[in-house]
Amino acid sequence: MDLELAGRVILVTGGSEGLGAALVRTLAAEGARVAFCARRSHALDRLADEVTKAGADQADVLPVVADVTSVADLEQFTELAVGRWGRIDGLVNNAGRSAAGMFTAQTDEVWDADVELKVYSAIRLIRLVLPQLRAAGGGSIVNTLAVAAKAPGAGSMPTSVSRAAGLALTKALSKELGRDGIRVNAVLIGLLESRQWERRATELGVSTSELYTDLGQNSGIPLGRVGAAQDFADLAAFLLSPRAAYLTGAGINLDGGLSPVH
């Protein structure tokens, strides 16, 4: 299926590794022009070099060092993309990290940092790209969330609360922006391959493949495996594409059937 992404300009936060990097590779392979940001320049440059060696035009790949909690960095990220390509057609708010524990263990500082990273950064960047999406005649916004947004459990705070806010933002924006031709959807991930789990495997002294096998077999996932980063990339690329033209306001579980709420 041709996703009709060739020449479209897509911004991806948290794009240097894991799910974001898989999406950058996929979008570049589809012919999109991709601006992606993260805090570490060497990881960004490594990925940019990888996708250009795989066949992407160097002019269609824009790595940007940015901290999404910085308003100035978000403004520069947006301005650099518009300065190079003159438009924006899509945005993926993917930056985030796992921060979960029991309610009584979370201080105000932990709550503030989580909401700043996962909620305010998305709000600010959406605000920045909206004029460009409207000028382009429409576009697509995809927010990366977690299944805990729909089915929070004990020990899941503050992440589950921040992600629930992200889901509410997704659904409310889809109602406001639909008439502008701007679609807003969310991907709610379950257990997927990521740098977080790679670090966990190192802490446990086991191989990453051993950890993924254990998680897949013992976490109650009906499909019996941990999801691949490419599973996320394929779904997000579809949501960004014109082939998903009648899909908005959706929070799609990508969890192998794990969550009891759909």
Side-chain angles (χ1 to χ4, degrees):
M1 179 187 292
D2 179 7
L3 294 180
E4 303 174 19
L5 285 169
R8 293 179 183 267
V9 177
I10 311 295
L11 274 59
V12 180
T13 68
S16 66
E17 61 185 26
L19 304 183
L23 178 57
V24 169
R25 295 185 192 100
T26 298
L27 293 172
E30 291 288 334
R33 295 167 170 171
V34 191
F36 54 104
C37 73
R39 290 178 297 174
R40 295 183 296 127
S41 61
H42 67 277
L44 289 164
D45 292 340
R46 183 173 61 243
L47 180 58
D49 184 59
E50 177 188 336
V51 297
T52 53
K53 285 181 177 178
D57 190 319
Q58 189 172 9
D60 291 340
V61 178
L62 179 60
V64 178
V65 176
D67 180 344
V68 297
T69 64
S70 164
V71 175
D73 282 8
L74 292 179
E75 290 173 345
Q76 182 184 48
F77 181 43
T78 308
E79 290 167 1
L80 287 171
V82 175
R84 175 173 293 193
W85 297 306
R87 61 184 291 147
I88 295 174
D89 300 286
L91 166 66
V92 182
N93 286 303
N94 179 67
R97 62 174 178 266
S98 177
M102 299 301 289
F103 174 76
T104 54
Q106 309 304 342
T107 64
D108 284 358
E109 290 75 19
V110 171
W111 279 99
D112 287 345
D114 204 64
V115 172
E116 186 73 24
L117 174 63
K118 296 171 184 172
V119 182
Y120 280 123
S121 68
I123 290 170
R124 291 167 181 149
L125 191 49
I126 291 169
R127 187 185 293 138
L128 287 168
V129 304
L130 266 181
Q132 294 297 326
L133 295 177
R134 287 186 169 122
S140 176
I141 298 169
V142 176
N143 296 317
T144 304
L145 305 176
V147 291
K150 293 181 180 177
S156 68
M157 288 180 272
T159 286
S160 60
V161 178
S162 297
R163 294 313 195 188
L167 184 57
L169 176 68
T170 297
K171 291 186 174 294
L173 278 176
S174 72
K175 305 297 190 294
E176 289 193 19
L177 302 179
R179 293 191 179 277
D180 293 324
I182 299 169
R183 298 178 295 103
V184 191
N185 294 289
V187 177
L188 281 65
I189 63 171
L191 291 174
L192 268 67
E193 296 173 0
S194 69
R195 285 284 295 162
Q196 166 191 321
W197 291 116
E198 292 175 14
R199 289 190 288 267
R200 181 59 176 160
T202 300
E203 292 171 2
L204 294 173
V206 300
S207 69
T208 304
S209 61
E210 288 176 315
L211 179 59
Y212 286 150
T213 298
D214 179 67
L215 288 171
Q217 294 177 351
N218 299 302
S219 298
I221 303 170
L223 290 183
R225 69 172 179 88
V226 170
Q230 190 61 49
D231 293 327
F232 167 81
D234 290 341
L235 176 56
F238 171 71
L239 292 173
L240 289 165
S241 79
R243 305 307 293 263
Y246 201 57
L247 185 56
T248 193
I252 302 174
N253 290 6
L254 186 68
D255 64 351
L258 176 63
S259 177
V261 181
H262 296 278

